[in-house]
Amino acid sequence: MERYAGALEEVADGARQQERHYQLLSALQSLVKELPSSFQQRLSYTTLSDLALALLDGTVFEIVQGLLEIQHLTEKSLYNQRLRLQNEHRGGGAPDP
């Protein structure tokens, strides 16, 4: 009986994942319809389906989150470098060696 319950749960998970894939694919198709026709022609059903699958597994979101963190660190570093350079220029620059 336990095997049967496990099998039913797997089927339900698969059905939920399939439904989510369909929702993402529909949303992507709606977005594509708003693009100029020259771009629409380049985005096949297979490409959109693959993109929806990539969104389903969460990898894309993890990559974007990592890139966002890198961007914030880079911006903070550049801001601090800018402040340091501004202070050097206001103070007459760095002393000669």
Side-chain angles (χ1 to χ4, degrees):
M1 187 69 168
E2 190 174 306
R3 274 183 24 207
Y4 181 72
L8 281 177
E9 189 173 313
E10 286 181 27
V11 169
D13 286 344
R16 280 192 293 270
Q17 184 142 353
Q18 183 65 32
E19 177 63 24
R20 184 70 180 133
H21 175 258
Y22 178 75
Q23 290 171 348
L24 288 169
L25 181 57
S26 294
L28 288 170
Q29 288 173 323
S30 295
L31 289 172
V32 167
K33 287 178 184 175
E34 298 175 17
L35 295 173
S37 62
S38 61
F39 291 109
Q40 288 181 23
Q41 294 170 359
R42 297 178 189 195
L43 295 169
S44 69
Y45 177 87
T46 304
T47 301
L48 294 177
S49 180
D50 290 346
L51 180 56
L53 287 172
L55 292 171
L56 268 179
D57 78 359
T59 303
V60 172
F61 294 109
E62 290 176 23
I63 291 170
V64 170
Q65 187 62 39
L67 291 172
L68 187 60
E69 291 173 16
I70 291 169
Q71 179 183 358
H72 287 158
L73 290 172
T74 302
E75 288 176 358
K76 185 176 180 178
S77 173
L78 289 171
Y79 177 76
N80 288 333
Q81 182 180 358
R82 178 176 166 245
L83 289 178
R84 191 173 58 252
L85 288 171
Q86 284 178 333
N87 287 335
E88 286 177 11
H89 288 290
R90 283 189 192 124
D96 291 341

